[in-house]
């Protein structure tokens, strides 16, 4: 074959490594949920024989197939997906197919005539793992063969009906050079292994007893080190646990192993879910597009989410490792035992599993802090997505490139929807409904509707309107107007909900919104809730279903302060229009810690907006600082909460609140100015925090120590703003002798906020200390990306030329380029367009190396609709430059065309 397929690009292309230009084709077409049809042929069994070789791996696949009784297309041709692989032979029921009996086109192979009874198809293909820079399918990372099949990577390994509703039992034989790859792993249980007589090669056979979709297939082979442990399940079965890493990293796996055992225990305790194989293996590799992948019995991880010791991992790393291990483990039930019918249902597994990992962290650490941190993440990532050209429902109706839909909306908003169902149905019914879901759909490929039906059936609640959360894009804005009638002792709450139009959805339906509520009396205590027409509320919750609704509370003996959407019970934007005095009161008294924090955020945002518009009043800042002082000086308040209270809403949140015509330099100046003012007023208190939060013993990643360090670092960042010279001196004194990575990066994060020679010296010093450790080089790149001041884009461009930077390693790209575009809004949105230029250039360069990474980077432009006109047109010019490129991947085309057209 002269041309093969440039897989993720979706275009005909000459074999990438011959260096000859590719051919372009038509505009990529979307796939629609409404077109879903069952497959005409099912695959019951897959026997794979993979003969590994870095440049030419041979894959022999034997498929046991039969017509699908659920298909309406009896007698249809058999169409198999395949990309970037060479077909060597096809044998149907033992007979080799001749060229006229099948045809191979871009991305598929078709056999027009197959038996209308069970049959066997044998396929031999080859592929080139060493040349695979897209990191989808079979590739090589750190000398190790590994696979990534979600969403559509299996078709880059062999021809297959590569969609999640085709579930099969797999047996896998792996063969490789014994010295190159002494470790041979796949899904399921190990069955057999041995030498291949008279050769340097050996083999292993793995058998997975559970039917699974192809996206959960995995294979790993290499010269890996390992740590082993065991876990005894609730029914007393012993599971062998293994974590495999590049040699030399074995001593950095202990935290990951502990986290795995915690996860297994928790899923038994909280959801009654037991592990189901004899072994559970995790492999960590340095080149990985995502964070981690839940392949059945063989999770594959980006090594930054496995490797940890105090010298190389920060507190945030420890927390991330714990929760990502949990997330992938929890997929064993929510995703693997019950999978998705089609990729439109992605949030069925991802939203639900994020919800489960959030609950895990809440149970293990502090529930209140976890909630605040999750909402911060939602606001930082999902709200901007929902508020711009990339807005889509948690269950989208169409896509061009499925990899573009692993989004904050599918994940984080998907998790919020699960949480709302818990709130609406109650703890007990929710657990029962989960049990029903597991029992009813085990072994199936399910839909969102089927999941919601379990919730509705068990709880007896009508969730028809609630499903709109899955199908409608946009963040609802809820306005609340409260009125107290002292004579009638009545409090009236008038609510309105509204969703702005989003691309392709002009008309919006009202949503079913659960709102946690408290009416706080003058003494700071919650008053009883006596709702007209209902009576005393046993749960402090009201439910909004109409565009406009009024709630009347009786027996309210004094003017209350409203605390609404407690615990962030719904993912909405609330406009409660409280007075500054009431906000300050909530900061001091709200019994709901989420809303206590939220009041501080609202007030901080208002002050930042005032500063932006030049209308800041010194007295307001003083009052705000005073409220903060009360909190940080209160020994009864958790350090983690103090730290969260001391952080103002982000620049992008402030920009979103401004709404349009945003000047990002002024946003930065307004926020920093406010921080400087607060830091000066709190100088003494911050100094006291500094005195008491130093490290006293060896580093420990437990919640209390993590909270203490988080407060210390937040205080340091503020002190640098308040008194530069003293702040710099403290940061350097922290950095130099530091024995743990949290302290080192904490000090550097404080320094990179300001343009000073000391930060350059400290960054150099960090590189000199840690330049040999790839994960620490990533931290160094990220810190550089966040460096504030003029010429930020030039620093980025320069660093892409640094010998430690590599375009082919996603972590390097995410640290430097996504870190800049997302973590340095003033630099990215520089008035001269230099930030947009460097990112657009990177997107174009990456698109031919790894289009998934390029697409992710491209989302950096998602909030350009908020900017002032000169910035908007500078950004638009760069988007147009990308669209004008002769060849674009489907993924980048989809993202960039949406943003350029907005
Ligand atoms: N199934 C995903 C990994 C994945 C995503 C594979 C996209 C292919 C394409 C996995 O379960 C996941 O969600 N990973 C997250 C981390 C998680 C803690 C939210 C990731 O990789 O970012
Ligand atoms: Zn996931």
């Amino acid at each position: 074959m002269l041309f093969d397929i440039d897989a993720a690009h979706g275009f005909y292309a000459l074999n990438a490594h011959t260096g000859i230009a590719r051919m372009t084709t038509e505009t990529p077409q979307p796939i629609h949920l409404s077109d879903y049809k069952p497959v005409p042929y099912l695959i019951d069994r897959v026997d794979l024989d993979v003969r590994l070789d870095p440049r030419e791996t041979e894959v022999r696949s034997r498929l046991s197939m039969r017509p699908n009784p659920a298909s309406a297309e009896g007698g249809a041709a058999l169409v198999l997906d395949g990309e970037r692989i060479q077909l060597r032979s096809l044998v149907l029921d033992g007979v080799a197919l001749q060229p006229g009996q099948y045809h191979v086109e871009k991305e598929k192979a078709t056999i027009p005539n197959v038996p209308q009874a069970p049959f066997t198809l044998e396929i031999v293909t080859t592929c080139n793992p060493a040349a695979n820079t897209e990191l989808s399918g079979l590739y090589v990372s750190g000398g190790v063969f590994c696979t990534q099949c979600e969403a559509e990577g299996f078709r880059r390994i062999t021809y297959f009906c590569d969609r999640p509703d085709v579930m099969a039992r797999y047996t896998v034989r792996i063969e490789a050079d014994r010295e190159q790859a002494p470790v041979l792993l796949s899904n399921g249980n190990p069955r057999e292994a041995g030498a291949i007589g008279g050769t340097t090669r050996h083999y292993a056979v793995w058998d997975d007893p559970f039917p699974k979709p192809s996206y959960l297939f995995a294979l790993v082979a290499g010269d890996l080190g390992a740590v082993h442990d065991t876990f005894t399940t609730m029914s007393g079965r012993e599971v062998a646990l293994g974590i495999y890493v590049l040699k030399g990293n074995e001593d950095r796996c202990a935290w990951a192993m502990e986290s795995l055992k915690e996860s297994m225990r928790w899923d038994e305790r909280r959801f009654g879910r037991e592990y189901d194989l004899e072994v559970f293996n995790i492999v960590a590799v340095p080149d990985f597009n995502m964070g981690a992948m839940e392949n059945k019995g063989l999770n594959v991880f980006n090594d930054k989410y496995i490797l940890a010791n105090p010298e190389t991992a920060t507190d945030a790393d420890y927390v991330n490792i714990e929760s990502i291990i949990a997330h992938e483990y929890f997929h064993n039930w929510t995703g693997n035992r019950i999978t998705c019918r089609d990729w439109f249902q992605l949030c069925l597994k991802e939203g639900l599993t994020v919800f489960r990992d959030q609950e895990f962290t809440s149970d293990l650490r502090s529930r209140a802090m976890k909630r605040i941190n999750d909402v911060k993440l939602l606001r930082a990532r999902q709200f901007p997505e929902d508020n711009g050209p990339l807005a889509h429902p948690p269950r989208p109706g169409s896509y061009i490139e499925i990899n573009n839909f692993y989004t904050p909306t599918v994940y984080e908003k998907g998790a919020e929807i699960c949480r709302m169902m818990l709130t609406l149905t109650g703890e007990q019914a929710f657990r029962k409904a989960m049990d029903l879901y597991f029992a009813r759909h085990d072994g199936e490929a399910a839909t969102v509707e089927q999941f919601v039906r379990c919730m509705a059936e068990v709880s007896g609640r009508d969730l028809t309107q609630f499903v709109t959360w899955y199908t409608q894009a946009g963040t609802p804005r809820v306005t609340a107007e409260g009125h107290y009638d002292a004579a009638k002792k009545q409090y009236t709450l008038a609510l309105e909900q509204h969703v702005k139009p989003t691309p392709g959805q002009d008309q919006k339906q009202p949503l079913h919104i659960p709102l946690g509520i408290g009416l706080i009396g003058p003494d700071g205590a919650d008053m009883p809730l006596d709702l007209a027409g209902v009576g005393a509320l046993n749960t402090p919750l009201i439910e909004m279903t109409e565009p406009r609704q009024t709630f009347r509370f009786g027996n309210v003996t004094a003017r209350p302060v409203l605390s609404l959407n407690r615990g962030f019970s719904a993912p909405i934007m609330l406009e409660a229009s409280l007075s500054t005095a009431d906000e300050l009161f909530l900061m001091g008294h709200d019994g709901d810690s989420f809303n206590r924090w939220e009041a501080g955020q609202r007030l901080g945002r208002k002050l930042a907006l005032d500063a932006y518009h030049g209308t800041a009043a010194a007295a307001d800042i003083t009052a705000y600082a005073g409220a903060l002082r009360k909190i940080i000086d209160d020994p009864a308040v958790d350090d983690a909460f103090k730290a969260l209270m001391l952080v103002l809403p982000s620049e992008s949140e402030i920009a979103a609140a401004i709404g349009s015509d945003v000047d990002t330099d002024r946003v930065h100046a307004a926020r920093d100015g406010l921080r400087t003012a607060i830091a000066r007023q709190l100088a003494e208190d911050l100094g006291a925090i500094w005195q008491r939060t130093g490290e006293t013993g060896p580093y420990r990643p437990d919640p209390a120590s993590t909270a203490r360090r988080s407060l210390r670092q937040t205080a340091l960042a503020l002190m640098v703003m308040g008194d530069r010279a003293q702040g710099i001196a403290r940061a350097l004194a922290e950095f130099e002798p530091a024995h743990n990575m949290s302290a080192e990066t904490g000090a550097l994060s404080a320094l990179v906020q300001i343009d000073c020679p000391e930060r350059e010296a400290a960054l150099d010093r960090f590189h000199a200390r840690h330049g040999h450790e790839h994960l620490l080089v990533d931290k160094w790149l990220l810190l550089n990306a966040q460096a504030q001041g003029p010429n930020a884009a030039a620093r980025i461009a320069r660093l892409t030329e640094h010998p430690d930077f590599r375009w082919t390693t996603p972590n390097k790209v995410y640290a430097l380029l996504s870190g800049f575009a997302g973590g340095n809004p003033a630099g990215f949105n520089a008035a001269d367009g230099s930030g947009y230029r460097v990112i657009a250039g990177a997107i174009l360069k990456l698109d031919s190396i790894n289009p998934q990474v390029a697409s992710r980077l491209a989302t950096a432009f998602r909030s350009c609709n908020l900017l002032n006109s000169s910035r908007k047109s500078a950004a638009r010019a760069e988007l147009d430059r990308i669209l004008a490129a002769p060849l674009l991947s489907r993924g980048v085309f989809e993202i960039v065309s949406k943003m350029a057209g907005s």
Side-chain angles (χ1 to χ4, degrees), residues 168-170 189 207-212 276-277 296 337 442:
R169 277 204 51 182
Y170 287 64
N189 298 314
D207 173 46
D208 184 354
F210 294 96
K212 66 168 174 289
D276 51 10
L277 290 167
K296 183 78 185 189
R337 288 288 286 259
D442 189 10

Side-chain angles (χ1 to χ4, degrees), residues 33 36 163-166 339-343 345 348 445-447:
L33 169 58
Y36 174 82
R163 43 186 274 178
D165 57 347
V166 174
T339 194
C340 302
R341 188 193 72 171
D342 53 72
W343 291 120
Q345 318 295 329
L348 175 66
T447 62

Side-chain angles (χ1 to χ4, degrees), residues 733-794:
E734 181 83 344
F735 172 71
E736 263 313 315
H739 287 301
N740 69 73
M741 193 39 62
S742 280
E744 281 196 54
T745 55
L748 284 180
S749 299
L751 281 178
V752 299
Q753 303 177 102
I754 50 173
D755 192 2
C756 61
E758 291 88 347
R759 84 164 175 207
E760 304 305 326
L763 284 169
D764 289 348
R765 180 99 179 84
F766 185 89
H767 187 272
R769 274 189 205 168
H770 303 300
H772 55 277
E773 169 51 53
H774 71 285
L775 294 178
L776 297 185
V777 170
D778 297 348
K779 294 191 193 304
W780 177 75
L781 290 171
L782 177 61
L783 285 161
N784 271 281
Q786 293 166 335
Q788 299 301 315
N791 307 320

Side-chain angles (χ1 to χ4, degrees), residues 294 327-328 331 349-350 353 411:
E294 71 264 27
H327 177 98
E328 306 311 336
H331 269 312
K349 76 172 174 82
E350 293 303 347
T353 304
Y411 275 67

